[in-house]
Amino acid sequence: MPQSYRLSSERRNFSLDDIDEMTEEKAMLFIAKSRWGSESEQVCPECGSFSKHYYKKTRKQWRCKHCNHTFSVTSSSVFAHKKIKYKKLLRLLFMFCNSAKGVSATELSGILGLSQKSSWLLCHKIREGLLRSRDESPLSGLIHIDGAYFGGKRRHGRKRRYRIAHKAYEARIATKGKVKLPLSPIQKRNLYKRKKNRRVVMSLREISSKSGQGATKTRIAVTRAEDEANVIKLCERFVAKGSTIWSDEHKAYNKLQSNYKHESVEHSEEFMSESGVHNNQAESYNSRLRRAEYGTFHGMRPQYMLDYAQEMAWREDTRRDTLLDQLSSLIRCVFSVGESVWWRGYHQGVRRNDELLAF
């Protein structure tokens, strides 16, 4: 069995030790180079000029040659106005990259010495940068598509609720499913809440032409149902006409034949069809997001589900990059979207109230 790329020495070309050896100024220059592509030249956020601006060493800031605007490496980014040292910010970004299924704010809080609220907010600002900078160009070639329900996770309740549920399960087992006890009012209320918070994360993944590379591009969307109308709209938006689409036997994909070459596999009977049709790459994405939901975040609310889904899409697309390339890519994405729109002033009551549904 071939070795996982995460275990290879090629991937480990950057570590926390490298960050610890940096001075505060070197950490700032590392972020500047990843953001602007150069340590010696910067982009003024006020006038947009790319030049070697005047550097104020004592303040770790630059003054623009053309408009005299003073700016830092975090100006006009999601981290603007946030008082955090550059080495600590670089450590945060590195730990965000290194995790396969995401990293919890509580874990970051203990390692970096930040409050849980600050860690949680910084992680969501990173997700905002990934979401607002995502590529939405159409996919082509061979596409794997699938949808999976997330959210509405069962929460622990009181012992009395367990006893009620246990009696219902015992009755169903004893009668082989023929007898079903009626739900109590509490069970009905909890079931309604779980269904109310469930959403479908649709994933579309373009397969590389190189053998063994798997999927290289991922497009995701959050919908209320995996139905025919949503599937057709998503394919029109994210898939070039004439492409080949592989899916499971769900009836929502039946009408894709008109614009695409569509083949399916019946998962109720087989893992892969005799002709080799499967949608394993979409299933791989679902697995990563599911493990993140249950093992790292312990729940995802509909309001921010697209943020978590896009984070996992980025992790899937960069899974074969080295840690240094991943970190540089993350900095470019997060620092390219301007100041935070959804998380600036969050603890002062400024919230994003709407869900980011596809349709």
Side-chain angles (χ1 to χ4, degrees), residues 307-324:
D307 304 57
Y308 291 107
Q310 181 58 37
E311 175 191 343
M312 296 306 143
W314 177 81
R315 293 187 186 281
E316 279 286 340
D317 291 347
T318 61
R319 69 192 184 281
R320 294 184 182 276
D321 292 349
T322 65
L323 280 169
L324 183 59

Side-chain angles (χ1 to χ4, degrees), residues 142 205-217 281:
L142 177 59
R205 308 198 66 197
E206 181 181 310
I207 309 304
S208 173
S209 57
K210 296 181 180 179
S211 177
Q213 292 296 310
T216 54
K217 297 179 182 178
Q281 293 301 318

Side-chain angles (χ1 to χ4, degrees), residues 145-150 195-203 221-234 250-253 305 355 357-359:
I145 183 172
D146 195 25
Y149 281 91
F150 293 90
K195 288 185 176 180
K196 184 180 178 182
N197 290 328
R198 290 180 74 192
R199 296 293 182 271
V200 176
V201 176
M202 298 291 303
S203 57
V222 177
T223 63
R224 291 187 179 274
E226 186 181 7
D227 55 21
E228 189 175 275
N230 284 324
V231 167
I232 291 175
K233 288 179 181 178
L234 283 173
H250 198 290
K251 62 182 181 181
Y253 306 104
M305 191 169 293
E355 294 182 46
L357 294 172
F359 311 106

Side-chain angles (χ1 to χ4, degrees), residues 28-29 31-33 35-77 79-81 86 335 339:
M28 180 200 69
L29 292 176
I31 297 173
K33 184 178 180 180
R35 179 182 183 180
W36 295 312
S38 172
E39 287 187 0
S40 58
E41 295 181 305
Q42 306 81 33
V43 177
C44 173
E46 186 70 18
C47 65
S49 64
F50 182 63
S51 180
K52 187 175 181 180
H53 298 290
Y54 303 115
Y55 181 55
K56 296 184 175 182
K57 188 174 182 179
T58 54
R59 300 183 62 182
K60 296 183 178 59
Q61 292 180 334
W62 293 271
R63 182 165 59 83
C64 179
K65 285 182 176 180
H66 306 282
C67 66
N68 289 327
H69 178 71
T70 301
F71 61 95
S72 69
V73 72
T74 58
S75 294
S76 296
S77 75
F79 301 114
H81 316 298
Y86 294 122
F335 280 76
E339 293 190 8

